[in-house]
Amino acid sequence: MFIDSKEISVDRRHFVYGGAAAFSAIAAALAGGGSPARAQTYRADEGKELAPGVRAVELGKGAAMIPGYKTVSLIDLVFQPQSNLPVSAMPNAMICHITEGELMLLQDGKEFQAKKNHVWTCAEGRRRALATTQAHLRLCGLPTC
């Protein structure tokens, strides 16, 4: 069952080469080597149209372990160039993330620009509007119980 050390012949070069290869793989992973992650692409008719040029694609929904919330959902909003969502109240609390492009947001009377990888939150009932040159926005919805 056990291997006797006399049966294994490992010379130092193999050990060093193996260690160097492992180190290179770890360094490449930490430095972001390999192919970059890209935003999901969707068909023009996929999901639900919220406004002209704006589609919502549901990615999933599940039970929440966060107190005060029954479920969580993940939704991608896909904005075509020069599309927008009119001013409306947030239906529930959300965590928002721009995966591609950029958005101009009007949230509670304050305007700001959200570029790729920007993350922000929205509270239930707050007023907001979105306008874009083109963007892909990922929402994590937190509907209350």
Side-chain angles (χ1 to χ4, degrees):
M1 182 163 358
F2 292 100
I3 299 173
D4 187 351
S5 62
K6 294 176 188 174
E7 294 176 25
I8 300 176
S9 174
V10 177
D11 99 15
R12 282 186 209 160
R13 285 178 294 184
H14 291 116
F15 183 75
V16 171
Y17 296 152
F23 176 78
S24 296
I26 293 168
L30 292 175
S35 54
R38 298 204 190 277
Q40 174 73 38
T41 56
Y42 300 103
R43 295 184 323 270
D45 64 343
E46 196 165 356
K48 177 183 176 184
E49 186 174 61
L50 302 179
V54 182
R55 299 195 74 82
V57 181
E58 285 195 40
L59 302 176
K61 187 175 185 176
M65 295 175 59
I66 303 169
Y69 298 98
K70 186 176 182 178
T71 61
V72 294
S73 61
L74 197 58
I75 300 167
D76 277 354
L77 292 186
V78 182
F79 291 79
Q80 295 303 314
Q82 279 69 52
S83 59
N84 63 67
L85 283 176
V87 175
S88 62
M90 297 298 296
N92 50 279
M94 293 185 193
I95 300 168
C96 307
H97 172 234
I98 300 290
T99 58
E100 288 293 327
E102 44 186 81
L103 283 174
M104 288 301 298
L105 292 103
L106 179 64
Q107 190 175 40
D108 289 334
K110 297 176 186 172
E111 190 174 292
F112 69 95
Q113 185 175 24
K115 294 184 178 186
K116 183 176 178 176
N117 290 326
H118 184 84
V119 177
W120 73 98
T121 58
C122 300
E124 182 177 356
R126 290 276 187 61
R127 312 246 342 128
R128 60 93 169 101
L130 305 169
T132 181
T133 52
Q134 184 168 6
H136 188 150
L137 171 64
R138 182 154 291 165
L139 304 172
C140 178
L142 301 167
T144 53
C145 296

